[in-house]
Amino acid sequence: MTPLPRWADVVLLPLLNVVLAFLVGGLIVLAVGQNPLQAVGIMLYGAFGYGSGFGYTLYYTTDFIFAGLAVSLAFHAGLFNIGPEGQAYVGGLGVILIGLALNGMHWALVFPLMIICGALFGAAWAFVPGYLQAKRGSHVVITTIMFNFIAVSMMGYIISRILKPAGVNSDESAPLEAITRVPQLRGFIELFKNSPVNLTFFLAIGALFLVYWLIWHTKFGYAVRALGNNPVAANYAGISNQKLIMIVMALAGAFAAMVAVNNVGGVQGRLILNFVNGAGFVGIAVAFMGKGHPIGVGLSALLFGMLYQGGQELAFQMPGITREMIVTIQALVILFTGAMGDMLRGPLGRMFAQPDPAAGAK
């Protein structure tokens, strides 16, 4: 198969896959008697057309960036981290513990400590599958999947039996005071009125730059990529594969835990059941659609943020399109950009192939 130019592989191929997914989704919308072009217009307006909608899009994008980076970082080391959902959930425990311990103090002091404590809890949770992979040979895919279920059960018990205040009916922790919570951007930018996007969005943008620098401009990143490309050669070159696997998984868990900073420390202001709400699983699609590159992860996260917010607007504006149909459209994007992401690679390769001069001479 003819290799694609770099720009076609990174930009054109994912774009065509998204267009193909929307075309198939448009056929589904057409089949129920609705106008596909009108549906797309409503989705775009709901995601970008007014301040609150745009704010919600950026809020979802923030979660998806962190989850996507957690998957991408492990992927560069040849590891398939399916555990951001559980890692973010456990990270919420670290965020709320430091938040409640310093409740009433200014957010400028508490915000960095939330980042540190959440990262430590998320890293510790991801370190265990990394250790089992490195030392015991337990495949990280299996262990991270199981740790998602363990996290749900453990956090459910902690929230409902330990952190839940007396006299409160719902399963949630005590709330953080307004001065302690991560401030929402609507307090600084009027455009984002009534939307939950907060300062964690800028933390997500910073994380994209950090991962780019870490993977492509440091000795550590070179070792990570060497491990992912050829573990035998990396070990022969003096790299400790076992040590690196554990470190990379811990770092991936730390990035996933930033979802908790966005939600527990900012939007909710308390620890509630299932606050991650599937963002960790969406991060898998974001990472693969973005080819593991921070720029691709950022753009993919924005696309899925648009799908989430635009889908809610679509369900409200066009009652004929149910929530299940919107989930189907989102699933089609994942299907065509993930599982079938290379379907168009062959035709594009033939399109970009250079003609053989020798064949022409004959």
Side-chain angles (χ1 to χ4, degrees):
M1 184 181 296
T2 304
L4 295 177
R6 179 65 176 169
W7 68 270
D9 190 24
V10 174
V11 178
L12 183 59
L13 182 60
L15 181 62
L16 290 177
N17 286 329
V18 171
V19 171
L20 187 59
F22 273 98
L23 287 176
V24 177
L27 294 178
I28 296 176
V29 173
L30 191 63
V32 297
Q34 302 294 331
N35 188 334
L37 295 179
Q38 183 183 2
V40 171
I42 292 174
M43 290 186 71
L44 291 174
Y45 174 77
F48 303 110
Y50 60 101
S52 294
F54 184 42
Y56 269 96
T57 299
L58 295 183
Y59 158 68
Y60 292 124
T61 300
T62 302
D63 282 347
F64 299 153
I65 285 175
F66 289 131
L69 289 177
V71 178
S72 298
L73 184 59
F75 180 72
H76 283 292
L79 303 169
F80 194 2
N81 177 23
I82 310 186
E85 189 82 6
Q87 293 152 18
Y89 207 176
V90 175
L93 182 60
V95 172
I96 197 63
L97 288 179
I98 192 65
L100 292 176
L102 302 177
N103 208 5
M105 301 189 71
H106 197 272
W107 66 266
L109 172 65
V110 182
F111 185 33
L113 296 176
M114 286 181 178
I115 296 172
I116 295 172
C117 290
L120 288 175
F121 275 67
W125 193 252
F127 174 83
V128 180
Y131 174 86
L132 294 174
Q133 168 79 55
K135 298 292 188 179
R136 302 298 181 187
S138 302
H139 203 289
V140 73
V141 171
I142 304 300
T143 52
T144 51
I145 289 175
M146 297 308 297
F147 266 56
N148 285 332
F149 290 100
I150 296 172
V152 170
S153 300
M154 182 186 75
M155 291 298 294
Y157 177 85
I158 292 174
I159 293 172
S160 60
R161 300 296 181 88
I162 299 176
L163 294 179
K164 180 180 176 180
V168 176
N169 293 326
S170 57
D171 291 330
E172 60 184 38
S173 72
L176 300 177
E177 296 185 18
I179 195 173
T180 304
R181 294 170 59 174
V182 180
Q184 298 180 346
L185 292 186
R186 64 189 180 190
F188 309 97
I189 306 174
E190 188 178 356
L191 172 70
F192 297 121
K193 56 185 178 180
N194 301 323
S195 68
V197 62
N198 54 70
L199 288 181
T200 316
F201 171 72
F202 297 109
L203 180 65
I205 300 300
L208 292 173
F209 284 99
L210 175 62
V211 170
Y212 175 78
W213 171 80
L214 185 67
I215 295 297
W216 281 279
H217 292 278
T218 67
K219 181 180 177 181
F220 172 79
Y222 179 82
V224 169
R225 288 182 287 124
L227 172 63
N229 286 312
N230 194 326
V232 176
N235 188 62
Y236 185 77
I239 297 172
S240 175
N241 290 356
Q242 293 183 348
K243 180 180 178 181
L244 200 57
I245 287 172
M246 292 184 286
I247 293 174
V248 168
M249 284 301 298
L251 286 175
F255 278 110
M258 296 303 99
V259 174
V261 177
N262 184 34
N263 289 275
V264 177
V267 178
Q268 304 292 343
R270 69 194 74 207
L271 183 60
I272 64 175
L273 292 175
N274 300 318
F275 71 86
V276 186
N277 198 27
F281 296 119
V282 175
I284 299 172
V286 167
F288 278 89
M289 182 178 176
K291 305 293 184 181
H293 194 284
I295 295 178
V297 168
L299 294 176
S300 301
L302 182 62
L303 171 65
F304 278 94
M306 181 272 288
L307 289 173
Y308 266 60
Q309 171 56 24
Q312 294 184 20
E313 186 78 17
L314 184 61
F316 179 76
Q317 296 287 347
M318 296 183 72
I321 298 180
T322 63
R323 176 61 186 168
E324 289 73 18
M325 293 177 61
I326 295 170
V327 172
T328 301
I329 295 173
Q330 294 170 352
L332 285 171
V333 174
I334 296 175
L335 176 66
F336 281 101
T337 59
M340 300 172 62
D342 290 332
M343 184 175 63
L344 299 177
R345 184 177 295 276
L348 283 177
R350 291 189 291 271
M351 184 184 303
F352 285 101
Q354 297 294 329
D356 188 353
K362 294 178 182 178

